[in-house]
């Protein structure tokens, strides 16, 4: 049985964190191995693991590779409840609080609850907030929800505050995988100023300058997926930039 609050304690230790997102549908075993080795070498804090769709058998096969080649916690970032896997360390239990799709606010969680209860995974209750990013993202389409407009900071603030008041332990502001534009700095800083739980930022972060900007704006955790898949050397540069 895994320690029940190891990941949450780490997330609350006040240090800036770097999470590498691996979408098993978009990568290969060789790349996963390389990302694991580089992530270990450059001090990545978390491997987030998951995606909107699974169209092959990679999902189950890649977690053991990560476990073989790095000692970094693997945290599931599930697109749906088929992606619960007890070989990981924890799971972002996402409630899509920027949307009004009841299935993604609570419905799927009810179905998943008994599996999660016996999974041994550390459960990280997370308020997931989608932010408009310059193009229609897969997550917006798949979730059938409208992202918060990127200039409506007050909506993002009130949504995050409500999530914290409901007892969620993390807020994830996401522009979506492959977003044209990351979450704007003013939105990040204003949300951060109004909550007392860790703030995760992801979507469309392509360079170490992007990562540094979101960190300086108030991100506690910076998540990078696609850009690292394209250029694995970015791991060392981003890790260096945010520390
Ligand atoms: C997507 O926040 C993640 O949900 C990461 O996005 O792949 O664009 O880095 P990218």
């Amino acid at each position: 049985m895994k320690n029940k609050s190891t990941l949450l304690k780490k997330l609350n230790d006040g240090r800036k964190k770097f999470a590498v997102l691996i979408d098993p549908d978009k990568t290969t075993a060789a790349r996963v191995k390389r990302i694991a080795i580089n992530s270990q070498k450059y001090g990545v804090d978390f491997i987030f693991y998951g995606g909107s769709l699974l169209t092959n058998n990679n999902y189950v096969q890649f977690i053991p590779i990560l476990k073989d080649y790095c000692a970094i916690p693997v945290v599931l970032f599930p697109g749906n409840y088929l992606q619960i896997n007890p070989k990981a360390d924890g799971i972002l239990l996402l409630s899509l609080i920027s949307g009004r799709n009841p299935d993604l606010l609570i419905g799927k969680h009810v179905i998943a609850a008994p599996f999660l209860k016996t999974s041994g995974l550390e459960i990280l209750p997370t308020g997931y907030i989608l932010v408009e990013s310059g193009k229609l993202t897969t997550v917006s389409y798949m979730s059938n929800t409208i992202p918060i407009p990127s200039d409506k900071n007050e909506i993002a603030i009130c949504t995050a505050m409500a999530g914290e008041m409901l007892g969620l332990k993390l807020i994830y502001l996401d522009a979506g995988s492959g977003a044209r534009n990351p979450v704007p700095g003013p939105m990040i800083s204003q949300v951060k100023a109004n909550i007392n739980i860790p703030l995760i930022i992801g979507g469309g972060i392509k360079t170490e300058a992007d990562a540094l900007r979101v960190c300086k704006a108030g991100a506690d955790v910076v998540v990078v997926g696609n850009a690292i898949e394209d250029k694995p050397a970015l791991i060392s540069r981003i890790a260096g930039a945010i520390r």
Side-chain angles (χ1 to χ4, degrees), residues 128-140 147-148 150 172-184 187 200-206:
Y128 187 56
I129 299 177
L130 279 180
V131 178
E132 190 273 324
S133 70
K135 69 171 191 183
L136 179 64
T137 57
T138 304
V139 62
S140 181
I148 295 177
S150 58
Y172 192 152
L173 272 183
D174 197 353
S177 177
R180 190 171 292 149
N181 305 308
V183 179
M187 181 180 278
I200 305 170
I201 304 290
I205 295 169
K206 299 176 193 76

Side-chain angles (χ1 to χ4, degrees), residues 85-150:
N85 189 311
K87 291 192 175 132
D89 298 284
I91 182 167
L92 297 176
L93 184 59
L94 305 167
S95 184
L96 208 174
I97 58 176
S98 58
R100 299 296 178 266
N101 178 342
D103 256 354
L104 301 179
L105 282 162
I106 182 65
K108 301 295 185 194
H109 313 66
V110 173
I111 294 166
F115 298 96
L116 290 172
K117 184 100 177 167
T118 56
S119 67
L121 294 166
E122 181 177 338
I123 310 294
L124 298 164
T126 303
Y128 187 56
I129 299 177
L130 279 180
V131 178
E132 190 273 324
S133 70
K135 69 171 191 183
L136 179 64
T137 57
T138 304
V139 62
S140 181
Y141 179 81
M142 293 296 290
S143 66
N144 199 16
T145 67
I146 303 169
I148 295 177
S150 58

